[in-house]
Amino acid sequence: MSRKIKIFDTTLRDGEQCPGASMTATEKLEVAHQLARLKVDIIEAGFPISSPGDFESVRQIAREVKGPVICGLARAVPKDIDRAGEAIRPAERGRIHTFIATSDIHLEHKLRKSRDEVLEMAVAAVTQARQWTDDVEFSPEDAARSDIEYLCRVVEAVIKAGATTINIPDTVGYAVPEQFAAIFTALLNKVPGAEKAVFSCHCHNDLGLAVANSLAAIQAGAGQVECTINGIGERAGNTSLEEVVMALRTRRDFFGLETGIVTQEIVKASRLVGKATGFQVQPNKAVVGANAFAHAAGIHQDGMLKEQTTYEIMRPEDVGLDSTRLVLSNRSGRHAFKVRMSALGYELDGEDLDRAYQRFLEVADKKKVVFDEDLVALMAESEGLHDTEFTLEYMTVMSSLEGVPTATVRLRRGEEFLTEVGTGVGSVDAVYRTIDKIIPVEHELIDYIVSAVTGGTDALAEVTVRLGRGEQIFTGRTACLDVIEASAKAYLQALNKLLYYGDRRSHTERLAAQEV
Ligand SMILES: [Zn+2]
């Protein structure tokens, strides 16, 4: 039997702590349920003393989420420990995680306490926590920058006091793998009683090393890794759960270790956290990015179609994606194109295939990569999407310092002309509200981004609009010399897509999981 590494998820505590990532209690509960489906070993649900809302949220998760250990964070002070103990009390299995800094920098400048005083506080906190639960975790904050002899003394004392997990945080993301691993080796070898506790690593990604440092710690004997979904967290974030889990799984030949994670739930968890926090992952993010399983090079695509393992080290279905998203480019051959179209619901042969492939090449020459949406649009062109598309015929906007911005918009759809007048808080708002009057379709505006393509006031203004309806997101992007015109056209483009694709999703149902 290979050694099993415990996965301690802190998305709801350290992850949620980062500015702008806050979640509602309902969202936290939803995330906690997904973490249970993912089968993480421990959920750090919050920091109960920090606010009444956080306390309630931890208690609700402790009450309702079954499976993982539910953990609450507490500073090494009595009122924190009791609050955390109270919050986790309804859990099947509850843990208190208490911490105090041990680095000289923190002792001098933050705590203004001596090493002996801090050691005493640590022991007292663990002793008090043990009155609430048998499962107590202790973290010497800023351990990676602490004096190793002092760190050993603190760890020995808290294990004696009843700490069952010793977490070594690289609080400021300063460690490098070999050095971080050496801390674990030293602690495990030097601390009397070390074998009675599980050692844990908690890394931050300030230097992009969080996953590497965590893997190094695991190799040096850590039995628990603290991490977050999508690697969210303060500053550059925490160790990413999906990366560390998939590294251990994909390279089992090297590590020889196991986790209990149901990896097929990873993408769902990633999406849920992205939606709840509003932090979407970048397309090239390892494991869960939209392009993580996309293969653009023609030679790669050809190999992939013959045998998946030629270029793929993980199977997309292992993380919960139905199939690999192949991004087509002008280097893609006819066969790759045909296979992709078939997956999208278009069976093409003979002349139809030739015609469609030619149209595809024209688009691919202008656009570096061609996504599924583009392919569907390509097919739609010949199926008369243009007849149902709204186009901008005429637009005027009145805006002055004192008055209410007013827009007149005329849209054309086929032979039909539709005109409306509307007002808004600004020029763009007036235009959008007026377009909404003409096209009353349910949606929410997720993003509105203006950027100048080149410098100067005569630069092209590029406007990107993202509209959401349910889980689906539709993007419109237009560049014009006039920013209001670009705004109107980008908005219309996104609305046209929403109207068109919104009802056509059956074609892409088999690929639904790709719309991350
Ligand atoms: Zn942290």
Side-chain angles (χ1 to χ4, degrees):
M1 268 293 281
S2 45
R3 189 158 66 95
K4 191 184 163 214
I5 303 300
K6 290 184 181 188
I7 301 297
F8 176 113
D9 182 279
T10 185
T11 305
L12 296 173
R13 203 278 300 166
D14 214 342
E16 211 247 357
Q17 215 165 296
C18 76
S22 45
M23 297 176 235
T24 64
T26 315
E27 286 166 338
K28 286 185 186 177
L29 185 63
E30 210 182 332
V31 169
H33 277 301
Q34 179 59 24
L35 291 172
R37 282 190 285 270
L38 195 59
K39 285 202 170 15
V40 304
D41 298 278
I42 302 104
I43 294 175
E44 187 163 53
F47 191 179
I49 195 82
S50 66
S51 73
D54 224 33
F55 173 82
E56 272 312 322
S57 165
V58 175
R59 197 156 63 166
Q60 187 183 26
I61 290 166
R63 215 170 25 231
E64 296 180 29
V65 178
K66 305 296 173 203
V69 170
I70 307 300
C71 176
L73 184 71
R75 286 168 301 184
V77 292
K79 63 178 194 311
D80 279 39
I81 308 272
D82 283 342
R83 197 75 173 142
E86 197 65 58
I88 59 150
R89 194 149 65 167
E92 287 174 336
R93 292 179 296 153
R95 173 182 293 190
I96 294 174
H97 175 195
T98 184
F99 70 97
I100 190 162
T102 51
S103 68
D104 289 336
I105 297 180
H106 281 233
L107 259 60
E108 270 169 44
H109 302 288
K110 193 178 80 174
L111 300 173
R112 295 178 200 283
K113 291 199 187 308
S114 71
R115 286 183 171 187
D116 286 340
E117 283 173 297
V118 164
L119 189 135
E120 248 173 62
M121 285 174 77
V123 169
V126 169
T127 309
Q128 189 190 344
R130 279 297 303 250
Q131 288 166 2
W132 287 96
T133 170
D134 291 343
D135 188 346
V136 174
E137 173 169 328
F138 174 79
S139 289
E141 191 190 351
D142 205 19
R145 292 193 301 175
S146 300
D147 172 62
I148 190 73
E149 298 305 325
Y150 176 59
L151 192 61
C152 286
R153 263 178 68 208
V154 173
V155 169
E156 181 184 350
V158 294
I159 292 174
K160 254 194 208 127
T164 45
T165 300
I166 300 297
N167 179 51
I168 303 301
D170 178 22
T171 306
V172 291
Y174 180 73
V176 291
E178 271 114 345
Q179 174 228 348
F180 196 54
I183 297 174
F184 285 80
T185 308
L187 289 169
L188 287 163
N189 289 331
K190 285 185 184 168
V191 173
E195 70 288 345
K196 289 190 204 136
V198 172
F199 279 73
S200 164
C201 55
H202 177 111
C203 297
H204 278 272
N205 208 29
D206 298 73
L207 294 173
L209 292 171
V211 171
N213 286 339
S214 301
L215 291 171
I218 290 168
Q219 276 185 286
Q224 171 181 294
V225 56
E226 303 202 352
C227 45
T228 61
I229 301 292
N230 299 339
I232 65 165
E234 285 199 271
R235 308 184 309 278
N238 288 64
T239 299
S240 133
L241 180 145
E242 58 278 3
E243 291 177 22
V244 85
V245 165
M246 288 314 286
L248 290 174
R249 181 186 155 122
T250 306
R251 297 307 310 274
R252 194 177 290 146
D253 63 315
F254 178 77
F255 293 103
L257 300 167
E258 310 263 351
T259 72
I261 295 296
V262 179
T263 59
Q264 290 77 9
E265 295 290 332
I266 283 177
V267 165
K268 242 184 269 169
S270 166
R271 276 192 188 185
L272 182 61
V273 170
K275 197 179 76 174
T277 58
F279 286 13
Q280 300 295 339
V281 298
Q282 82 270 22
N284 60 313
K285 167 80 171 64
V287 184
V288 292
N291 291 350
F293 292 93
H295 298 264
I299 187 166
H300 285 209
Q301 289 181 351
D302 189 49
M304 286 275 296
L305 292 168
K306 286 177 181 140
E307 169 56 43
Q308 232 181 351
T309 54
T310 46
Y311 287 99
E312 206 157 69
I313 59 165
M314 295 175 269
R315 293 182 311 166
E317 52 268 37
D318 292 343
V319 295
L321 276 175
D322 289 345
S323 68
T324 301
R325 179 180 177 124
L326 278 167
V327 177
L328 298 179
S329 71
N330 60 4
R331 289 160 293 167
S332 302
R334 185 189 304 263
H335 183 55
F337 174 75
K338 180 180 151 71
V339 170
R340 195 74 206 144
M341 293 312 286
S342 158
L344 289 167
Y346 298 95
E347 299 300 340
L348 299 173
D349 274 306
E351 263 180 50
D352 287 345
L353 176 62
D354 290 343
R355 260 201 309 273
Y357 184 61
Q358 278 312 315
R359 276 207 308 276
F360 156 74
L361 284 181
E362 284 165 26
V363 174
D365 274 337
K366 289 185 206 141
K367 241 176 143 266
K368 217 170 141 43
V369 291
V370 182
F371 293 103
D372 291 343
E373 273 193 10
D374 300 318
L375 292 174
V376 175
L378 206 74
M379 291 311 292
E381 269 180 28
S382 57
E383 289 178 4
L385 170 61
H386 282 306
D387 295 343
T388 59
E389 224 175 54
F390 288 94
T391 52
L392 184 65
E393 271 292 307
Y394 167 88
M395 178 182 71
T396 172
V397 185
M398 305 280 285
S399 169
S400 64
L401 214 52
E402 311 258 305
V404 177
T406 307
T408 307
V409 175
R410 185 184 304 143
L411 302 183
R412 177 191 180 135
R413 181 169 60 173
E415 297 304 308
E416 211 181 344
F417 290 90
L418 303 124
T419 309
E420 277 290 350
V421 181
T423 58
V425 294
S427 303
V428 173
D429 188 50
V431 169
Y432 282 15
R433 282 168 188 271
T434 309
I435 291 174
D436 287 345
K437 278 190 183 175
I438 302 175
I439 314 173
V441 54
E442 194 195 323
H443 67 269
E444 56 170 326
L445 182 65
I446 296 172
D447 268 327
Y448 168 77
I449 303 157
V450 185
S451 54
V453 177
T454 52
T457 52
D458 63 346
L460 276 177
E462 187 183 69
V463 174
T464 304
V465 170
R466 289 168 71 222
L467 301 181
R469 188 166 74 174
E471 292 275 282
Q472 300 171 317
I473 292 173
F474 303 91
T475 306
R477 183 176 295 136
T478 308
C480 292
L481 283 166
D482 183 81
V483 69
I484 311 282
E485 186 188 338
S487 302
K489 286 183 171 169
Y491 191 60
L492 268 182
Q493 204 183 82
L495 275 176
N496 277 324
K497 279 193 194 175
L498 186 150
L499 289 169
Y500 186 74
Y501 298 131
D503 305 326
R504 282 185 59 101
R505 281 291 143 165
S506 55
H507 275 309
T508 54
E509 243 165 29
R510 269 178 288 170
L511 302 154
Q514 296 171 358
E515 293 153 20
V516 178

